[in-house]
Amino acid sequence: MDSSVILHLLKLNVYFFVIRTDNHIYLDYAATTPLDPRVAEVMMTQWKGNYGNASSVHAFGRKAKVVLEESRETIARSIGAETAEVFFTSGGTEADNHALVGAAFAQRRDAGKDHLIVSAIEHHAVLDCVEYLSTLGFRVSYLPVDERGRVQPEVLRELITPHTALVSVMHANNETGAIQPIEEISVITKEHGIIFHCDAVQTVGKIPVNVVELGVDLLSVSAHKIYGPKGIGAIFIRKGTPIDALLHGGAQERKNRAGTENVPLIAGFAKAMELAVEERTEIYDRVALLKGALRTKLLNSVPGVVVNGDEQNALPHILNVSLDSSVYDNNGESLLLNMDLHGIAVSSGSACTSGSVQPSHVLMAMGRDERSTRSAIRFSFGKYTTMEEVERAGNTYISLVQSIHHHQTVHH
Ligand code: PLP
């Protein structure tokens, strides 16, 4: 079957075959990670033996409450927060929404401030949220990035007005891995008394994340990027930060997040965080080696390949490459699809929105042209990735690009 036909069917969510991944290579750790068996074990113990509601006063409730609070302490310690500053959410998306909507509403009501500044390369959990807030009368400014995908703190100064309520800049970008100058930004937000939110979903457990050193007021984290379960995360709210709740109901999470806490997932999150911190430097060195090897291989074998991101300030496990559009008549969709057909799971730099593939807003913000942006491929590695897998993935990419190129040379 023609690959464009398959792509069309995939877009329509028509699955006509049993999907098998036995011999596939997973290089999409920035999207999500496999569950660490030690985390699974902790969760299974909770599911089987600790079903009480953590808000109940009886022994069953208290037993759940102990695990809940111990887990909170683990998460808090790992990011340098106080235990009372950590609130569990359903994941990074909810933490981002809580930070933005909660702070925006509180600031407008209590201080008359209605201006928000977010970086142009934020995750859609932030971008779509401020777009929603703009329909409710908030004004939004976008902080640009340079060609390496980093925001420049000095530009932030120019965007700040007396009405600025909140600044949101992610710790590292999920597409390019570019680490942002959070400490420098927090110096500026503090000077102006502006609330500062940071999405640390891609960095927590991978590089040091300390809310005091970063100087942030709000921080989002998620479990499933660090070998924990999906559907659980947390928001750090610095003591005294004015913020409304997103969910209203019970008094859970000190009235910051109503709803019965999911203790098994929370215990799994804490275990995953504990392991991530323990194994951080070891994993860092391993994945950095894998990334370096693939980077060198592709740069040596693929003419016109471009590495997207900041070499100096980069996460060690994300390699984003695209093809120079003056060398290739790019077809990013078919490249990604063909990688999958060859058993290599990677990500495109594009987001699939309502059936059509949009070029990545991150690469576009870095000044890349639309055609080369469409060819972007993100390889991301993790603790279970082997050098052999990386080599196979590299070889597949190289031969696919060569066949596209050959195709074009013949046609033109
Ligand atoms: N923010 C960033 C930077 C991410 O990479 C992700 C992951 O997809 C999210 C937020 C959303 O987190 P979650 O999947 O836990 O909702």
Side-chain angles (χ1 to χ4, degrees):
M1 196 180 301
D2 189 282
S3 66
S4 63
V5 175
I6 298 177
L7 180 70
H8 188 65
L9 291 169
L10 288 175
K11 273 187 195 164
L12 296 172
N13 285 329
V14 178
Y15 299 105
F16 49 91
F17 44 80
V18 178
I19 300 165
R20 308 206 42 175
T21 56
D22 323 19
N23 295 315
H24 284 219
I25 294 175
Y26 187 76
L27 296 181
D28 203 10
Y29 279 75
T32 195
T33 55
L35 194 67
D36 187 302
R38 294 166 291 182
V39 173
E41 204 180 303
V42 164
M43 291 196 293
M44 194 48 83
T45 306
Q46 293 302 315
W47 270 313
K48 284 178 177 166
N50 198 3
Y51 59 84
N53 185 323
S55 299
S56 301
V57 292
H58 49 61
F60 292 86
R62 294 200 310 275
K63 188 176 167 189
K65 179 91 170 169
V66 168
V67 175
L68 173 64
E69 294 311 320
E70 280 175 2
S71 303
R72 194 188 310 282
E73 203 180 320
T74 302
I75 303 292
R77 206 181 321 117
S78 70
I79 57 170
E82 286 177 27
T83 307
E85 294 176 321
V86 169
F87 305 89
F88 290 107
T89 66
S90 64
T93 300
E94 187 190 320
D96 285 346
N97 275 259
H98 188 171
L100 295 161
V101 175
F105 281 10
Q107 286 287 286
R108 182 162 70 179
R109 185 191 55 235
D110 301 336
K113 293 181 173 182
D114 61 359
H115 177 227
L116 314 168
I117 303 174
V118 305
S119 90
I121 56 160
E122 293 300 302
H123 189 270
H124 280 288
V126 167
L127 290 181
D128 291 9
C129 191
V130 292
E131 207 169 291
Y132 158 69
L133 287 168
S134 75
T135 68
L136 301 175
F138 288 93
R139 287 173 306 115
V140 183
S141 300
Y142 295 90
L143 190 55
V145 293
D146 62 19
E147 72 284 356
R148 289 170 304 171
R150 281 194 109 211
V151 307
Q152 293 143 306
E154 289 315 307
V155 180
L156 174 63
R157 286 188 190 279
E158 295 161 22
L159 297 177
I160 290 173
T161 76
H163 296 289
T164 306
L166 176 96
V167 169
S168 182
V169 178
M170 68 204 320
H171 195 191
N173 181 260
N174 49 298
E175 290 186 27
T176 65
I179 300 171
Q180 305 301 320
I182 301 301
E183 293 93 333
E184 292 167 57
I185 293 168
S186 73
V187 170
I188 300 170
T189 53
K190 273 184 194 142
E191 267 174 33
H192 291 83
I194 296 166
I195 296 174
F196 183 22
H197 166 251
C198 179
D199 175 337
V201 169
Q202 287 291 340
T203 53
V204 81
K206 311 225 169 70
I207 57 172
V209 173
N210 183 299
V211 292
V212 177
E213 285 166 18
L214 292 175
V216 298
D217 303 301
L218 304 166
L219 185 108
S220 306
V221 293
S222 180
H224 73 95
K225 312 282 186 187
I226 52 168
Y227 313 94
K230 292 158 187 56
I232 191 76
I235 179 170
F236 155 77
I237 303 175
R238 181 177 301 291
K239 210 187 291 169
T241 307
I243 186 165
D244 287 5
L246 208 56
L247 300 185
H248 305 269
Q252 291 93 350
E253 302 299 289
R254 302 157 115 237
K255 290 201 164 178
N256 270 293
R257 205 279 188 179
T260 303
E261 286 99 344
N262 192 330
V263 174
L265 291 193
I266 288 169
F269 182 16
K271 182 67 181 175
M273 186 70 98
E274 203 179 285
L275 294 170
V277 171
E278 235 171 73
E279 300 170 353
R280 188 175 61 217
T281 50
E282 189 193 324
I283 297 171
Y284 186 103
D285 293 346
R286 258 180 52 79
V287 294
L289 217 65
L290 299 174
K291 174 180 167 176
L294 185 61
R295 186 178 173 280
T296 307
K297 189 183 178 84
L298 298 189
L299 285 174
N300 286 341
S301 325
V302 184
V305 76
V306 180
V307 177
N308 300 310
D310 189 306
E311 303 278 323
Q312 268 91 50
N313 304 285
L315 287 179
H317 66 290
I318 296 179
L319 181 70
N320 189 312
V321 294
S322 53
L323 299 169
D324 184 337
S325 58
S326 63
V327 182
Y328 299 88
D329 182 12
N330 289 309
N331 189 341
E333 288 181 12
S334 79
L335 193 53
L336 180 76
L337 185 70
N338 279 304
M339 289 290 278
D340 180 42
L341 291 174
H342 285 79
I344 317 285
V346 290
S347 220
S348 77
S350 316
C352 203
T353 318
S354 54
S356 73
V357 178
Q358 300 292 325
S360 152
H361 67 281
V362 176
L363 301 182
M364 294 300 282
M366 289 160 66
R368 297 274 190 272
D369 64 281
E370 189 173 329
R371 277 207 303 151
S372 67
T373 294
R374 285 187 188 279
S375 71
I377 295 283
R378 178 187 69 184
F379 297 88
S380 52
F381 319 110
K383 65 179 175 183
Y384 303 123
T385 311
T386 65
M387 188 61 91
E388 196 222 324
E389 288 179 321
V390 171
E391 270 167 19
R392 258 181 63 195
N395 291 338
T396 304
Y397 179 83
I398 292 164
S399 66
L400 286 174
V401 172
Q402 277 167 353
S403 72
I404 295 172
H405 196 41
H406 177 65
H407 223 66
Q408 283 170 208
T409 329
V410 171
H411 283 291
H412 287 188

